[in-house]
């Protein structure tokens, strides 16, 4: 997965989480994703980074609801 594919997948994660957490603002969803993504900056295999970012962001969002 190259960087543009990963960025596209992360955008899809934001959209998906915004639908799953309608009580949370879109900015807060994007912030949760943005906070989760740096945890995987050094991952050598990038294919699963969007999945792991989504899991981390989802955990953060559950704390807000």
């Amino acid at each position: 997965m190259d960087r543009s594919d990963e960025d596209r997948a992360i955008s899809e994660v934001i959209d998906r989480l915004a639908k799953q957490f309608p009580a949370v603002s879109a900015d807060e969803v994007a912030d949760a994703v943005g906070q989760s993504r740096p945890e995987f900056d050094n991952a050598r295999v990038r294919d699963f980074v969007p999945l792991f970012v989504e899991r981390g962001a989802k955990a953060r969002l559950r704390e807000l609801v």
Side-chain angles (χ1 to χ4, degrees):
M1 175 177 288
D2 66 15
R3 185 66 180 193
S4 65
D5 289 336
E6 184 177 314
D7 290 341
R8 192 172 320 123
I10 294 294
S11 292
E12 292 171 4
V13 165
I14 293 170
D15 293 342
R16 197 166 34 252
L17 291 176
K19 290 176 185 168
Q20 286 182 338
F21 294 90
V24 179
S25 75
D27 287 339
E28 288 176 306
V29 171
D31 286 345
V33 170
Q35 291 171 6
S36 296
R37 195 170 186 182
E39 296 174 27
F40 305 99
D41 281 348
N42 295 324
R44 286 196 259 160
V45 178
R46 306 299 303 173
D47 292 347
F48 300 105
V49 168
L51 173 68
F52 296 139
V53 168
E54 183 170 1
R55 287 181 181 172
K58 194 180 289 187
R60 284 179 166 84
L61 293 169
R62 283 188 186 125
E63 292 176 7
L64 296 176
V65 184

